[in-house]
Every structure is written in C-alpha cells, then in structure tokens.
Amino acid sequence: MKYIVLLGDGMSDEPLDQLGGKTPLQAARTPNMDFMAQNGLLGLARTVPEGLPPGSDVANLSVFGYDPRTCYTGRSPLEAASIGVDLGPADVAFRLNFVTLSPEGGRVFMKDFSAGHISTAEGRELIEALRVHLEDSEFQFFPGVGYRHLMVWRNGRDTMKAVPPHDITGKNVIGYLPSGEGSDRVINLMNSAQMILHNHPLNRKREADDNLPANSIWLWGHGRAPRINPFRERYGLTGAVISAVDLVKGIGIYAGLDIIPVEGATGYIDTNYRGKAEAALEALKTRDYVYLHVEAPDEASHSGRLDHKLQAIEDFDEKVVGTVLDGIKPFGDYRILCMPDHPTPVSIMTHTSDPVPFIIYGGAGLDGNGGVAYDEESAKGSGWFVPEGFRLLSMMMGRTPTGA
C-alpha cells in the first residue's frame, strides 16, 4: 500500500460577501477534490489542540501524525533543522522575517510581513550584512528562503512572548513587541538591525525600483530543539517530504524522512505545482509514504489577496491533486489524505484553530460517505469529526502508531 498526503496550506476559510456568502473552497473550481469527496471519506478534523497557537508548526505536526501536545517546542527549531543548523540543548532558535515597517504620525505600523516577498538572493545579502555587524558568540544569523531566515541565541531564553508578523499587518507594532524574560535583548537586536538595513544599498535600490524595502527584522517563533520519534519507528514506513517551506522540511528531518527538492518550488502562487506532484509520484516508486505540502493558499491569505487564494486552490486541485490521481493508479493499492493544515481566512489575514475539512480516498476496505463536494460546509454535514487531528494519519493507514 502506498500513502500520500496532499496538503494545501491554509485553504480553509470563512464565507465571504465578495463570493456571495461562499468560502473560497466553495467558490473555486475543484473537480478533483470534489471527486475524491464524493467517492471517499469526507469529514472535519481539529489539527490545533486547545491551548496551542494555530500555527503551521502545530497543525502540520498533527497532519504528520504527531501529537503537538507532546513534542511541540516552537516553530524555529524545525526550520533550523531544515537549513542544517544544529541546536545545543541550551540554544534557542528564532524565525527572522525581513519586514517592512511604516512610520506614521509618531507610530510604527507593520506594512508587509515579507518585505514585498523579497527574493532569496536579496535576503541572503541582507543576512550577510547582519552577520558582519551584529553576529557574535551569542547571536548568530543563518540564511533561509525568501523573507524567511533564522537567528540562534546560544544559551538563550525561551519563555518570552513573541507575535508572528503576519498577525499584525496594518497594526501599530509597539503593542506587539516581544515581552518577558530576555525580550530586551531581542528588541535591542531588532533595533540595531534597522540601522543596518536602513542604510544598505540593496534597500535603496529596492525603493528606487518601487519595491518595498526590508527595513527591519522581526524575531518570533522561538524554541529549543524538540524530540520527535522517527516516522519509520512510529509507523513502520519509509517516506519523503516535498515542500518549499523550511518548517515542513524541518518536521520531516526530525522524523527521519527524506527531503526531496523540486526546482521552481517557491512557496507562493508561482510555485511548480505539477513538478511537486510528479516528484511525489516518482518518490512513491521507492518509498511507502509522501507528504506533499503547498504553501500558496496560505501566503495569499496572509496578503489579503482573495484572487490569489482562489487561483492557488484551483491550481492545487488541477496540477497537484489531478496529477496525483492520474499517476497513482499503476501503484494498485493506495490511499490519499487531502486537507489543509488550518484555516487562514482572507478577511483577517491570519490563522484560526477551527477544524478543517479532510478527505481520505482510495484503497480497498475504505467505507466512503459520499460527500457532495470538498468544502467546509459539506465536511461539517458529513457526520465525521476527528477531535484529535494527529490520529488522521493512522486512520488513513489503518494502523496504530508506536511511541509519542
């Protein structure tokens, strides 16, 4: 039996007036996901346990089959693993976003959490500048992808509160700065970075080209290295991960799964959807399980772009789901789990912890429930609800995992 997870990050949403009271999943053209819903098991699952933040870190751990309540320590340690940064037991990793802040009337607003989706090459150039001026034995900087990078505080503090920048788009940042033990050091680092970035030639060029400058860093998502039981020990399967996002790749690395790069995988609406699907099918020839993650719907929601979200959902359905459905048949026995990790409503441009719709499709012995379509309302009316989302994977596989 072959198993594949098709995850459209943040696809789930809320009814919108612009769509006549429909959600983006209801309004988008999704014949392939609708087909699986009509011929498989459709339901709702809660991927964010009560009391935990509704981040992609928590939610993706659940979809990977791990209980976040037992292994979640923060987002950034997972991203550190993806870019090859080793964390000692006393080290604390922070996500470093390049952002655009806008001063207005004596206040400072979060204009863009991604600095206009700055390119990877530009981000690496700015990280190098931070290294030259700010790095020491305590604070170290590491390049990532696009606007997403990493800072490690050796022997650092991890009990402070820090807010994701995509949660405060358009808001005055003063009330959302890091707080708690060690926050003064982190805020000082952010302020020092602003002076370096303000005078950097790259930002002057971006402004001259009518692009947003990366005029600040924002540090958040901190934590120490987690302990995650290897996937092969837990499920007895070999597997791989395909994603453009360091967070998801980091979960895969901690789980002992292979990470498969795909040329043109960007994490946004221009990503190589079909290339990811084709790589997943190729990976299944030598492995039991593949986790295929697409970030585009989530990024569109964080930017408040309904048009981009609809496009991302339709591209995911056609180029990922459709390609997999066509190409997986020669494997004979297979199961597909298709779902988002969490909702990301366009109207609020951030995540919520509401349950998300899922489909389990394919394979002998699966009792479907004949859903009407793949969307939030149809899933709610299906009668299937999984209160602990981390159990979905074992449901799909029909096996009981071992370990935590």
Side-chain angles (χ1 to χ4, degrees), residues 335-388:
R335 286 265 170 92
I336 300 171
L337 171 61
C338 182
M339 63 187 296
D341 49 350
H342 51 64
T344 312
V346 173
S347 61
I348 60 173
M349 296 188 292
T350 190
H351 306 161
T352 69
S353 56
D354 292 337
V356 294
F358 72 86
I359 314 162
I360 299 175
Y361 171 79
L366 177 68
D367 294 325
N369 54 359
V372 176
Y374 179 66
D375 59 59
E376 301 85 353
E377 193 63 28
S378 295
K380 185 178 179 181
S382 71
W384 268 93
F385 177 62
V386 181
E388 295 179 316

Side-chain angles (χ1 to χ4, degrees), residues 315-332:
D315 285 344
F316 177 78
D317 182 82
E318 176 191 352
K319 300 173 184 178
V320 174
V321 181
T323 301
V324 168
L325 282 175
D326 287 341
I328 203 169
K329 295 170 186 175
F331 290 105

Side-chain angles (χ1 to χ4, degrees), residues 223-307:
R224 303 185 191 274
R227 293 182 179 180
I228 295 177
N229 194 39
F231 192 88
R232 190 163 190 171
E233 293 180 15
R234 185 164 169 77
Y235 292 99
L237 301 173
T238 59
V241 174
I242 297 172
S243 177
V245 176
D246 284 332
L247 159 67
V248 177
K249 291 187 283 188
I251 296 174
I253 289 169
Y254 270 110
L257 298 167
D258 298 328
I259 308 301
I260 298 179
V262 174
E263 186 175 355
T266 65
Y268 201 54
I269 58 168
D270 62 351
T271 197
N272 185 2
Y273 297 93
R274 202 176 304 278
K276 285 186 169 186
E278 291 170 349
L281 292 168
E282 184 66 26
L284 282 175
K285 293 179 181 178
T286 54
R287 299 167 182 86
D288 306 308
Y289 164 84
V290 173
Y291 192 99
L292 194 168
H293 171 270
V294 173
E295 176 76 358
D298 189 63
E299 286 291 316
S301 291
H302 286 314
S303 300
R305 291 294 301 267
L306 176 59
D307 56 339

Side-chain angles (χ1 to χ4, degrees), residues 42-323:
L42 175 69
L44 282 178
R46 184 176 298 282
T47 57
V48 180
E50 186 175 353
L52 289 181
S56 291
D57 42 15
V58 170
N60 274 279
L61 277 168
S62 287
V63 185
F64 267 94
Y66 293 94
D67 185 352
R69 294 169 297 187
T70 66
C71 62
Y72 174 70
T73 62
R75 179 190 191 106
S76 295
L78 303 170
E79 296 177 326
S82 175
I83 61 178
V85 177
D86 293 327
L87 298 178
D91 297 335
V92 181
F94 287 74
R95 158 71 86 83
L96 185 158
N97 272 45
F98 283 118
V99 302
T100 304
L101 300 183
S102 176
E104 299 176 23
R107 296 182 292 175
V108 180
F109 293 85
M110 179 66 66
K111 185 169 184 177
D112 193 291
F113 67 90
S114 68
H117 282 281
I118 189 170
S119 71
T120 296
E122 291 172 312
R124 286 176 177 267
E125 183 175 343
L126 295 180
I127 285 290
E128 188 56 37
L130 297 181
R131 278 178 163 172
V132 169
H133 295 284
L134 297 179
E135 188 162 284
D136 56 25
S137 60
E138 261 194 300
F139 298 105
Q140 297 172 2
F141 301 87
F142 300 89
V145 176
Y147 63 86
R148 313 175 186 96
H149 303 274
L150 188 78
M151 189 274 287
V152 175
W153 185 357
R154 304 293 182 184
N155 297 306
R157 306 290 181 268
D158 70 340
T159 58
M160 74 189 73
K161 180 180 179 181
V163 178
H166 52 254
D167 282 1
I168 56 173
T169 299
K171 297 181 180 179
N172 181 6
V173 303
I174 299 304
Y176 299 97
L177 293 170
S179 60
E181 184 184 10
S183 61
D184 55 335
R185 305 287 306 279
V186 172
I187 293 172
N188 181 62
L189 204 62
M190 291 164 64
N191 289 336
S192 298
Q194 288 176 17
M195 300 300 296
I196 297 163
L197 296 172
H198 176 73
N199 295 311
H200 198 281
L202 187 146
N203 273 324
R204 291 202 294 269
K205 183 179 186 305
R206 284 184 64 82
E207 290 183 292
D209 294 339
D210 290 326
N211 293 318
L212 293 175
N215 59 15
S216 184
I217 63 173
W218 193 268
L219 298 169
W220 62 287
H222 54 287
R224 303 185 191 274
R227 293 182 179 180
I228 295 177
N229 194 39
F231 192 88
R232 190 163 190 171
E233 293 180 15
R234 185 164 169 77
Y235 292 99
L237 301 173
T238 59
V241 174
I242 297 172
S243 177
V245 176
D246 284 332
L247 159 67
V248 177
K249 291 187 283 188
I251 296 174
I253 289 169
Y254 270 110
L257 298 167
D258 298 328
I259 308 301
I260 298 179
V262 174
E263 186 175 355
T266 65
Y268 201 54
I269 58 168
D270 62 351
T271 197
N272 185 2
Y273 297 93
R274 202 176 304 278
K276 285 186 169 186
E278 291 170 349
L281 292 168
E282 184 66 26
L284 282 175
K285 293 179 181 178
T286 54
R287 299 167 182 86
D288 306 308
Y289 164 84
V290 173
Y291 192 99
L292 194 168
H293 171 270
V294 173
E295 176 76 358
D298 189 63
E299 286 291 316
S301 291
H302 286 314
S303 300
R305 291 294 301 267
L306 176 59
D307 56 339
H308 284 183
K309 182 160 191 175
L310 291 168
Q311 178 186 336
I313 291 172
E314 292 185 351
D315 285 344
F316 177 78
D317 182 82
E318 176 191 352
K319 300 173 184 178
V320 174
V321 181
T323 301

